[in-house]
Amino acid sequence: MRTTTRAVVIGGGIAGCSAIYHLTCEGWNDVMLLERDELTSGTTWHSAAQVTNFGGNQTMIGLKSHSIKLYQELANDPDYPINYHHGDGGLRLASENWHLDGYKHFQSMAKGMGVEFELLNATEAARRHPLITTDGLMGALWDPMDGDIDPAQLCQALARRARKAGAEIHRHTPVTALRQLPDDTWIVTTDKGEIHAEHVVNAGGYRCNEIGEMMDVTLPVVSMEHQYFLTEPLQGIIDAGHRMPLLRCPTDDFYSRQEKEGLLVGFYEQECKTWGLDGIDPNFTMALSPDDPDRVLPVLENVFKRMPALMETGIHTIVNGPITYTPDGLPLVGRIPGKRNAWCITGLRAGLGEGGGHGWLLAQEMVHGQACYDTWCLDPRRFSQRADIPYTTAKVIEDYQNEFRFHRPHEFRPAGRDLRPSPLHETHQKQGAEFGVVNGWERPLFYKTEADFQPDHSFHFSNVDPVVEAEVQHIHNHVGIAEVNGFNRIEITGTGVMEWLDGLICGRLPKKLGKVGLGYFLTKTGDVLGEATIARLSEDRVWWGSAAAAQDHDLDWLNGQNPPEGIALTSRVESHTIILIAGPKSRQMLTKACPDQSWERTDFPWLSVKECQIAGIDATVMSVSFSGELAYEIHVAIDQSKALYAALSLAGEDFNLRPFGMFAVESMRIEKGYRHWKADLFNEFDPIESDLARFVKLDKSDCIGVTALAAKGGKKRRAFVTIKISSDFAPAHGGDSVMHEDNVIGTVTSAAYGHRVGENLAMAFVDVEHAAIGHELTLWVQGKMLPGTVVEPCRFDPENQNMRS
Ligand SMILES: Cc1cc2nc3c(=O)[nH]c(=O)nc-3n(C[C@H](O)[C@H](O)[C@H](O)COP(=O)(O)OP(=O)(O)OC[C@H]3O[C@@H](n4cnc5c(N)ncnc54)[C@H](O)[C@@H]3O)c2cc1C
């Protein structure tokens, strides 16, 4: 056994085997995999091992396509062929309108990744799967690539290839301790000795938190017991003369696929059960939990209704095993927060279908620092510290219960709520707020017009739109108040802070004290990694502000840039909140609330920051605007926020002050052409492609990513545009395809109705030849081809007169 290595992968299930194989593909051959028992002895060996191309975003679809291509290649390897039933096809059933609406959106999104789904009516669905009835069936989504694979053979095939490429794989070698050295390398302890590794990868499946504990980390991963039944042969299958397609049902919570001449039927029961929360028996290996058929009886009854032939046959085997979940159902693939040279590929709930792709993306990140797709949806930092085990458990149960019920637009589910309520929560509630969650923070989305108002989470325009429109018009004509809690705010102090930041931000920083500027930071290849508002509070004190979701991301990244001696980074997320005042009467209203401070344009111009007192409360106020109206962000200590809100509300009485929510902001920021991090700004595109050239100084060669960006010479893969949709049939949704004739030429990143300009707007990356202003194209929205025109990106007040007024 080697005693030094580039990377140790801990765990030999599909996650570990895929990771080590792909590390060798990316050029790291001196790597090791350590498995405490046999390969696949955790969950992988007993997986139902379905492999679908269906995914909730384009990264997921892309990585699943990689799995499928890889598995096809492995299956066809003459030296070591493996069993892969590829292309049986799969049906996602629809028994409600919104299922079909969702499938239309996923079909459009998949098209952009080169994946063709088909929408079928109920009769055609039943023709393709002769065992199902059409009772209550409205149709189905067809995935022609669906299939299943032999999980053990798959892992052996990956391990075999990795070994051939130079990797060492050691079975019966449990990792018992991990210790990080000052140079960020690791000592990995096993019962066969110690290994000095540059990197470690946690691929420990349901034991990932045993490994986490060795590095003092708790990953937000919880296991559920999950069962499937295997039936005796079914005459209908024998008679069909073809393999049965796979089935997944969002109404009845089951899946099925063919197994020999019978079916494998799996259940996501409402009365579900967590597993291993009180510790895991060290001898639980190649093991299952006791059969528990009673738990799934209600689901089984519905399965019988959908496939009556099942009542005619027997069940010969029950499999009940642990399956890992995270709070949002997507795995944790990437850097472990707060650690260096430590990675994970854990929390896989569909590891056979996805594992090939996850290992591929992880290996790219480890070797090259970045993968071919933006991997934020998988990034372990996306939950920040809020995701402890109780929270994770609540969300995991909810997710398990809703396995095939995808989220509808703006749907925020009830579990794990009120995790980070603001002190103003009750105030917002009394005002009628409908809340959503951003990084755990409860934020008002809009204010209900009647107490019993029920928002419709539709893929079309809905009853919420007029409510949002009224909020927008009120802000535009009068003045509005909102709380933006959870905003990521890092105080950076120390001598030389601006010099340090100058090497990180690819454009100009605010030159003068008291000024605020927007900056972008890049990956090493020159793509957009993040966006920050830099506020210069004093010579050696800066506030770095960014999206709530970026809390751990930005802090982790900044800490990774080796802050010089004397520079300190302090998160002010938990200690502060923002109260936002926006609208033409903001200045008058603030003058009333705080007459000691001059709010005049000459004294407090756009893009400046002041520390002052409002109603005796310390506040840091920035004259910045995401809405395009005259606006002030008032940053205040959370424990003072109620008092400040009350004082502002009082001052606002004379100005018709009204609360507004995040949906109004969303509509207004799209009218202004402002971007959202990880919706419109992500690391698949550079700032030039993202239409942010004005924020880049190509001569800043010392700044991360700038030289690589300059070397591209302005050549664009795609270009960021705003599209006016000439139809009010429905809004577009992030991920919808932009088309030219039958070809996909782009993808929508964000969309909303612009209420001030009366336009149905979408932002998108499109092929360069379709990016010119005035260019006509179509958007594939809800199964229809909607005409659109590329328009100037700033739809509202392009001269910024309102903000500067
Ligand atoms: C009943 C059931 C049906 C399923 N059906 C499907 C399906 O149809 N399609 C699909 O895609 N997915 C399915 N899944 C999920 C899928 O099986 C899992 O996502 C996948 O197997 C997880 O793989 P893994 O490598 O993360 O974990 P595991 O397979 O559990 O591998 C982790 C490995 O780490 C090892 N390990 C742990 N601690 C240490 C240590 N300290 N030192 C060394 N080694 C260690 C373990 O021994 C284990 O071998 C199903 C799961 C269940 C339970």
Side-chain angles (χ1 to χ4, degrees):
M1 188 165 90
R2 280 178 204 151
T3 52
T4 60
T5 187
R6 194 85 188 251
V8 165
V9 177
I10 308 167
I14 179 60
C17 291
S18 174
I20 194 138
Y21 163 68
H22 283 100
L23 281 171
T24 62
C25 296
E26 297 301 324
W28 283 11
N29 304 90
D30 168 18
V31 285
M32 299 170 81
L33 184 150
L34 306 179
E35 163 55 50
R36 74 198 286 275
D37 298 297
E38 289 290 352
L39 296 184
T40 77
S41 60
T43 288
T44 299
W45 69 276
H46 65 260
S47 177
Q50 300 156 101
V51 180
T52 168
N53 216 159
F54 182 86
N57 61 46
Q58 289 199 325
T59 296
M60 290 304 292
I61 295 170
L63 71 89
K64 288 179 186 203
S65 291
H66 175 80
S67 289
I68 289 171
K69 278 189 208 115
L70 171 65
Y71 299 172
Q72 274 180 297
E73 187 203 321
L74 293 173
N76 294 330
D77 183 345
D79 292 340
Y80 192 84
I82 63 174
N83 289 322
Y84 178 27
H85 297 122
H86 169 252
D88 288 352
L91 293 164
R92 255 160 226 273
L93 304 181
S95 41
E96 294 189 37
N97 265 328
W98 69 267
H99 297 156
L100 284 176
D101 289 347
Y103 294 160
K104 285 176 194 161
H105 166 60
F106 293 123
Q107 185 187 24
S108 173
M109 182 162 68
K111 177 91 176 169
M113 297 303 284
V115 173
E116 301 283 349
F117 292 151
E118 209 182 325
L119 266 175
L120 308 180
N121 63 27
T123 313
E124 178 59 16
R127 194 188 67 75
R128 295 189 192 189
H129 197 307
L131 296 183
I132 61 169
T133 68
T134 54
D135 297 348
L137 198 62
M138 300 179 75
L141 185 75
W142 175 256
D143 169 7
M145 296 291 185
D146 229 329
D148 71 274
I149 196 159
D150 183 313
Q153 288 182 355
L154 169 62
C155 290
Q156 293 297 347
L158 292 168
R160 181 174 166 273
R161 285 195 172 190
R163 276 196 203 96
K164 269 188 152 177
E168 279 188 10
I169 295 182
H170 296 277
R171 297 171 299 133
H172 304 288
T173 310
V175 170
T176 53
L178 292 165
R179 180 163 49 92
Q180 189 149 37
L181 301 179
D183 66 353
D184 296 336
T185 60
W186 292 87
I187 298 295
V188 181
T189 307
T190 75
D191 58 354
K192 296 182 181 132
E194 288 190 340
I195 300 158
H196 183 202
E198 202 175 313
H199 296 264
V200 290
V201 180
N202 183 344
Y206 53 75
R207 293 189 190 276
C208 66
N209 271 322
E210 293 178 6
I211 297 163
E213 215 172 294
M214 297 177 203
M215 54 168 74
D216 207 18
V217 162
T218 304
L219 297 167
V221 175
V222 164
S223 299
M224 301 295 294
E225 274 192 20
H226 176 50
Q227 294 186 90
Y228 62 75
F229 294 176
L230 293 166
T231 75
E232 301 289 355
L234 280 147
Q235 196 56 46
I237 293 183
I238 298 165
D239 294 344
H242 61 82
R243 283 183 59 82
M244 282 300 112
L246 289 82
L247 278 185
R248 296 177 185 85
C249 182
T251 304
D252 297 331
D253 302 314
F254 76 92
Y255 58 87
S256 90
R257 68 163 173 83
Q258 185 169 336
E259 176 69 18
K260 303 210 171 80
E261 288 174 327
L263 284 184
L264 177 157
V265 185
F267 310 90
Y268 292 99
E269 67 283 6
Q270 295 302 303
E271 293 302 313
C272 52
K273 198 171 163 195
T274 56
W275 184 89
L277 275 178
D278 299 324
I280 302 168
D281 178 351
N283 297 314
F284 190 94
T285 179
M286 279 290 177
L288 293 173
S289 298
D291 298 352
D292 191 359
D294 289 350
R295 216 173 62 222
V296 303
L297 280 183
V299 187
L300 190 58
E301 276 171 24
N302 289 329
V303 180
F304 285 155
K305 283 187 200 147
R306 182 59 66 208
M307 286 189 286
L310 271 182
M311 286 187 278
E312 313 292 315
T313 192
I315 291 161
H316 68 72
T317 305
I318 296 179
V319 169
N320 185 11
I323 185 166
T324 51
Y325 275 73
T326 67
D328 64 4
L330 294 180
L332 306 175
V333 182
R335 289 175 187 284
I336 296 179
K339 297 283 162 191
R340 296 205 188 178
N341 294 5
W343 306 81
C344 63
I345 174 164
T346 55
L348 281 71
R349 77 167 201 250
L352 274 301
E354 300 171 4
H358 289 311
W360 177 55
L361 296 180
L362 179 73
Q364 292 176 43
E365 279 183 72
M366 289 177 66
V367 175
H368 311 297
Q370 184 179 346
C372 57
Y373 304 131
D374 189 286
T375 52
W376 180 243
C377 64
L378 307 170
D379 195 310
R381 295 168 295 185
R382 68 190 185 275
F383 298 114
S384 49
Q385 296 89 348
R386 73 193 150 98
D388 58 8
I389 292 298
Y391 168 81
T392 303
T393 306
K395 291 307 286 180
V396 161
I397 291 172
E398 182 183 65
D399 207 48
Y400 184 93
Q401 291 167 329
N402 286 286
E403 175 72 27
F404 298 127
R405 267 170 245 141
F406 48 84
H407 280 77
R408 287 174 285 164
H410 307 306
E411 182 186 0
F412 297 91
R413 292 185 175 155
R417 299 292 293 269
D418 298 340
L419 186 73
R420 288 169 135 180
S422 98
L424 284 164
H425 192 81
E426 235 181 87
T427 309
H428 301 318
Q429 221 161 21
K430 280 188 193 144
Q431 290 170 321
E434 173 78 16
F435 292 92
V437 192
V438 180
N439 203 24
W441 298 90
E442 294 286 324
R443 276 192 189 166
L445 300 174
F446 62 90
Y447 287 80
K448 290 180 264 194
T449 41
E450 283 143 34
D452 57 354
F453 181 88
Q454 287 300 327
D456 187 5
H457 298 295
S458 174
F459 283 89
H460 295 238
F461 288 115
S462 77
N463 60 351
V464 177
D465 290 282
V467 181
V468 174
E469 178 175 10
E471 286 183 14
V472 169
Q473 294 302 354
H474 190 84
I475 300 161
H476 178 51
N477 293 308
H478 305 277
V479 58
I481 184 167
E483 187 191 9
V484 188
N485 44 343
F487 182 76
N488 183 37
R489 188 183 300 97
I490 303 167
E491 183 163 306
I492 311 177
T493 51
T495 310
V497 59
M498 289 308 284
E499 287 74 21
W500 181 56
L501 288 178
D502 200 41
L504 306 182
I505 297 288
C506 68
R508 279 186 197 87
L509 292 175
K511 279 205 188 98
K512 294 189 192 147
L513 292 185
K515 294 303 286 180
V516 182
L518 195 59
Y520 292 86
F521 49 107
L522 308 180
T523 66
K524 286 186 182 139
T525 53
D527 293 316
V528 176
L529 192 57
E531 176 190 63
T533 304
I534 310 283
R536 290 196 67 185
L537 295 169
S538 70
E539 204 58 67
D540 55 3
R541 188 164 150 256
V542 160
W543 270 11
W544 168 290
S546 56
Q551 184 180 339
D552 275 13
H553 175 275
D554 287 8
L555 199 57
D556 202 49
W557 185 78
L558 285 166
N559 277 321
Q561 305 314 313
N562 301 319
E565 184 102 13
I567 298 282
L569 276 68
T570 313
S571 173
R572 299 269 179 235
V573 177
E574 307 287 341
S575 60
H576 284 66
T577 187
I578 296 177
I579 297 177
L580 184 63
I581 302 293
K585 294 184 189 153
S586 339
R587 177 172 294 123
Q588 286 160 275
M589 197 205 108
L590 285 169
T591 305
K592 177 146 194 236
C594 178
D596 296 344
Q597 167 68 48
S598 167
W599 300 88
E600 287 310 313
R601 190 163 70 126
T602 38
D603 298 324
F604 201 155
W606 184 44
L607 296 180
S608 54
V609 56
K610 287 195 190 297
E611 293 182 286
C612 59
Q613 284 207 325
I614 302 176
I617 298 161
D618 288 334
T620 304
V621 186
M622 296 184 204
S623 55
V624 292
S625 174
F626 205 42
S627 60
E629 302 293 346
L630 177 68
Y632 299 87
E633 275 183 5
I634 308 175
H635 298 245
V636 60
I638 275 187
D639 55 6
Q640 297 288 305
S641 58
K642 266 177 104 165
L644 180 66
Y645 195 91
L648 291 169
S649 300
L650 192 66
E653 278 175 5
D654 293 348
F655 302 94
N656 199 5
L657 180 73
R658 280 204 209 153
F660 65 95
M662 293 304 115
F663 286 173
V665 177
E666 182 67 4
S667 164
M668 292 187 287
R669 68 103 186 162
I670 288 186
E671 286 175 315
K672 284 299 290 174
Y674 296 157
R675 328 292 157 78
H676 247 177
W677 185 65
K678 292 304 175 191
D680 317 299
L681 292 170
F682 48 98
N683 68 18
E684 290 174 31
F685 294 104
D686 66 42
I688 311 296
E689 293 160 331
S690 306
D691 196 18
L692 295 168
R694 63 195 180 282
F695 292 99
V696 180
K697 278 185 79 198
L698 285 176
D699 57 355
K700 278 181 94 173
S701 54
D702 290 345
C703 180
I704 299 168
V706 172
T707 305
L709 180 62
K712 293 186 193 178
K715 196 163 179 294
K716 294 182 184 176
R717 290 162 285 193
R718 275 188 168 170
F720 190 77
V721 295
T722 297
I723 301 169
K724 180 179 153 189
I725 306 172
S726 309
S727 159
D728 287 349
F729 165 70
H733 296 278
D736 281 343
S737 283
V738 185
M739 310 290 293
H740 176 68
E741 294 167 354
D742 287 339
N743 301 319
V744 177
I745 52 141
T747 300
V748 171
T749 56
S750 294
Y753 199 85
H755 293 291
R756 288 174 299 192
V757 295
E759 292 175 349
N760 189 7
L761 296 172
M763 290 171 157
F765 278 101
V766 300
D767 291 345
V768 178
E769 57 273 30
H770 297 279
I773 304 290
H775 193 86
E776 307 280 329
L777 26 71
T778 47
L779 289 95
W780 189 3
V781 178
Q782 284 298 293
K784 294 209 184 318
M785 293 296 168
L786 306 184
T789 311
V790 176
V791 290
E792 293 288 350
C794 186
R795 309 303 302 146
F796 172 76
D797 185 20
E799 304 299 324
N800 294 334
Q801 284 173 357
N802 289 18
M803 296 192 292
R804 292 174 198 268
S805 63

